[in-house]
Amino acid sequence: MRRLRSVRVRLTAWYTLALLVLLTLFALAIYLLARAQLYDSFDQSLRTRLQEVSAALDHDSSENHLAVTRLSRDESMVNVASGERVLLFDGAGRVLDQLGKPLTPAQQAALWRAVGSEVRMLWLDGSFDVRLARSAPLAGGLTVVVARPDDPVEQPLHNILIAFAVAAPLALLLAAIGGYFLTGRVLRPVAAITHAAREMRAHDLSHRLALGPAQDELTELASTFDAMLDRIEAGVERQRRFTADASHELRTPLTAITTHAELALSEPRTAADYRATLTTILGEGQQMQRLIADLLDLARSDAEQLAAQEPVDLLDLATEAIGRLSGRAAAAGVELWLDDGGVERAVVCGSPGPLGRVLLNLLDNAIKYSPAGGCIVVQLATPPAPPVAEVNSGEVQRNCPLLAVSVLDQGAGITADHLPHLFDRFYRADAARTREENSSSGLGLAICAAIAHAHGGWIGVSSQPQGSRFTLYLPVAAGNCS
Ligand code: ADP
């Protein structure tokens, strides 16, 4: 929970910091813009005032001093309320006349020294900081200076600063609270995932988040998490069943061995009795050997630990499988046929050993379940035309070119209710029908399916009372398989 909260705090902190930067930039921009505009219009009015006064003086340039005296009597010319001062300097910087509240001689001197540019700021002593405008020299070397405190500009700017100083922290506080609350809401599915993961135990994987259909990234994460749990639960269940089945399968011959040995040792026996017991024990031992070999094969193909991929000719593989099982077929009174289906090139990418094992298994089953006098056909086809009622061992990908090797027999067939389970581990459709009871582990087809899947293919099965058809589908080799 500590980590979750820290993510929440971190998100809120970043969000608030970003807002602080934005607000500061925004406030700065507004302040600078307002300042420029206020000073612009302030300076404009200062210039207008300067022109008014200069024009009044120009009326009688021969008697400038008198003109100013007349002006100073004209109250309407002096804007006392704004703190304005108008000063008339002679060429030597002496004040000839001034309008507005009189300035000290030091202030007057500072004002004279400051003139030079048209409009500028002058910081005097704090009590009379002004913005001043100066006329060009008039007739008689006179200069008019108009000075005003810049309060009309500074006051609104000051107000803007105060407004931001109050509003910005308030906005930040509200945003931080809102952000913290919203982040909490958004992160709720994460909290649910954490809780579910904590609740999960190896023996109980049934807990789900069930946050409903994916609406955003987090609910999508939750439903992906649920789907992953489904797969893990199914996998664990499969593993559990497999272990239970494997132990059960191994226990049966082991029990038989122990029972026979105990019985033989319980009292003195004849040599023939011991021989019979040892023969039985040997048979059970061989059955166990086969079973363990099958289990290893299955584990290997499950982990896709197949040898390096290389081009494998299915026609060669089928011919070899038929050759290897021809003796067994002859003993069972069954005929084996190869139909190459006119296929010129039947090359796939894969491991010849495991793929040969698939054909041997299918062919072995066909012999096992065929009546004497029956006929088995190994048939190659491209492109494959699967029978309509075919059941597949797993996911099917028909979008790439395929090759198919089918094994068709004339056995009693498999009923429809068994077909979907044939590829389950340790599944036997009908043990009574096997020719050799002991050779059946129920793992053969599961191994075939695992090998086919490891090669990007699958196994299909269809069956009728007249016989069954098992087909290995594999993608055609593209390139040199490296
Ligand atoms: P097993 O070792 O028992 O043969 P498999 O996985 O190879 O195990 O086969 C599973 C079951 O499928 C068999 O027990 C059998 O009932 C059925 N089966 C497989 N191949 C055939 C076939 N060609 N004809 C009829 N039934 C078959």
Side-chain angles (χ1 to χ4, degrees):
M1 210 59 195
R2 196 160 52 84
R3 181 120 193 97
L4 197 66
R5 226 181 283 135
S6 91
V7 168
R8 190 177 181 183
V9 168
R10 278 211 311 268
L11 271 177
T12 311
W14 279 111
Y15 171 70
T16 313
L17 191 72
L19 195 68
L20 174 70
V21 172
L22 266 178
L23 274 179
T24 309
L25 287 178
F26 182 66
L28 200 68
I30 289 202
Y31 179 83
L32 291 177
L33 204 72
R35 188 173 188 275
Q37 282 196 341
L38 284 170
Y39 269 118
D40 207 41
S41 59
F42 186 78
D43 291 351
Q44 195 53 47
S45 75
L46 212 57
R47 275 190 214 100
T48 312
R49 181 73 171 138
L50 186 67
Q51 273 168 9
E52 268 174 32
V53 178
S54 302
L57 285 175
D58 275 349
H59 277 306
D60 191 353
S61 51
S62 58
E63 286 183 79
N64 278 332
H65 185 66
L66 283 177
V68 173
T69 308
R70 266 206 310 278
L71 192 64
S72 65
R73 271 190 243 110
D74 186 349
E75 287 296 319
S76 69
M77 290 300 287
V78 183
N79 188 354
V80 180
S82 70
E84 184 185 76
R85 311 292 201 283
V86 178
L87 289 100
L88 183 64
F89 290 95
D90 67 7
R94 278 188 303 271
V95 176
L96 299 178
D97 198 1
Q98 57 178 317
L99 306 180
K101 201 174 163 206
L103 295 175
T104 63
Q107 287 174 332
Q108 289 174 2
L111 222 61
W112 173 249
R113 277 198 307 275
V115 297
S117 57
E118 205 205 332
V119 177
R120 58 176 297 183
M121 275 309 290
L122 176 64
W123 285 276
L124 288 172
D125 51 12
S127 64
F128 186 57
D129 291 340
V130 290
R131 202 158 171 84
L132 58 90
R134 165 209 168 199
S135 72
L138 303 170
L142 300 180
T143 302
V144 178
V145 171
V146 179
R148 271 184 202 169
D150 63 350
D151 294 352
V153 173
E154 287 304 323
Q155 196 55 47
L157 288 180
H158 186 67
N159 290 345
I160 288 178
L161 279 186
I162 288 182
F164 273 118
V166 172
L170 210 69
L172 280 177
L173 185 70
L174 285 177
I177 293 172
Y180 189 74
F181 172 73
L182 281 178
T183 317
R185 271 186 71 98
V186 169
L187 287 178
R188 209 174 288 163
V190 178
I193 292 174
T194 311
H195 180 71
R198 199 177 293 126
E199 289 295 296
M200 215 162 297
R201 300 280 178 275
H203 56 269
D204 178 20
L205 295 170
S206 60
H207 202 81
R208 294 289 179 277
L209 301 175
L211 294 185
Q215 288 154 348
D216 54 31
E217 287 86 345
L218 284 178
T219 45
E220 191 179 345
L221 173 68
S223 60
T224 310
F225 189 77
D226 279 352
M228 183 189 75
L229 283 180
D230 285 346
R231 286 196 300 276
I232 292 178
E233 192 182 18
V236 168
E237 175 56 23
R238 232 183 2 254
Q239 207 65 41
R240 197 190 58 72
R241 215 172 337 120
F242 179 68
T243 313
D245 289 349
S247 340
H248 180 261
E249 294 292 326
L250 283 169
R251 207 170 49 195
T252 313
L254 211 57
T255 312
I257 288 174
T258 321
T259 315
H260 279 100
E262 279 172 355
L263 205 70
L265 292 173
S266 62
E267 56 186 75
R269 310 262 176 200
T270 62
D273 284 346
Y274 285 129
R275 175 174 286 279
T277 304
L278 282 176
T279 309
T280 313
I281 288 177
L282 181 67
E284 296 293 346
Q286 283 170 340
Q287 162 71 356
M288 272 178 75
Q289 222 169 15
R290 259 196 306 274
L291 191 64
I292 290 168
D294 280 354
L295 287 172
L296 279 175
D297 271 353
L298 201 57
R300 225 173 278 139
S301 31
D302 265 355
E304 297 191 15
Q305 288 172 350
L306 298 169
Q309 301 265 303
E310 57 183 271
V312 180
D313 192 328
L314 290 182
L315 197 58
D316 290 350
L317 231 50
T319 314
E320 191 188 324
I322 289 175
R324 284 181 64 179
L325 290 181
S326 56
R328 233 170 77 68
V334 179
E335 266 188 66
L336 298 182
W337 289 89
L338 177 64
D339 172 7
D340 66 9
V343 176
E344 283 172 11
R345 198 170 169 273
V347 179
V348 297
C349 285
S351 314
L355 286 177
R357 171 91 201 263
V358 174
L359 291 186
L360 279 175
N361 265 356
L362 297 181
L363 212 51
D364 187 56
N365 275 350
I367 296 171
K368 233 189 295 180
Y369 298 99
S370 284
C375 179
I376 296 170
V377 181
V378 179
Q379 190 180 61
L380 253 96
T382 176
V388 183
E390 196 170 61
V391 172
N392 297 312
S393 61
E395 224 163 89
V396 164
Q397 298 216 335
R398 290 194 195 275
N399 46 3
C400 54
L402 293 167
L403 272 173
V405 193
S406 301
V407 177
L408 298 100
D409 64 49
Q410 294 174 329
I414 306 159
T415 51
D417 50 330
H418 288 305
L419 283 184
H421 306 293
L422 284 191
F423 302 100
D424 293 353
R425 290 157 188 202
F426 300 107
Y427 188 83
R428 298 178 186 92
D430 184 1
R433 286 184 299 143
T434 49
R435 196 187 295 279
E436 304 137 45
E437 203 64 34
N438 261 355
S439 68
S440 154
S441 68
L443 286 175
L445 287 177
I447 294 172
C448 292
I451 294 173
H453 294 163
H455 283 84
W458 73 96
I459 294 186
V461 54
S462 59
S463 193
Q464 293 173 340
Q466 300 82 24
S468 310
R469 173 193 183 115
F470 285 83
T471 306
L472 166 67
Y473 293 95
L474 290 171
V476 174
N480 58 5
C481 300
S482 54

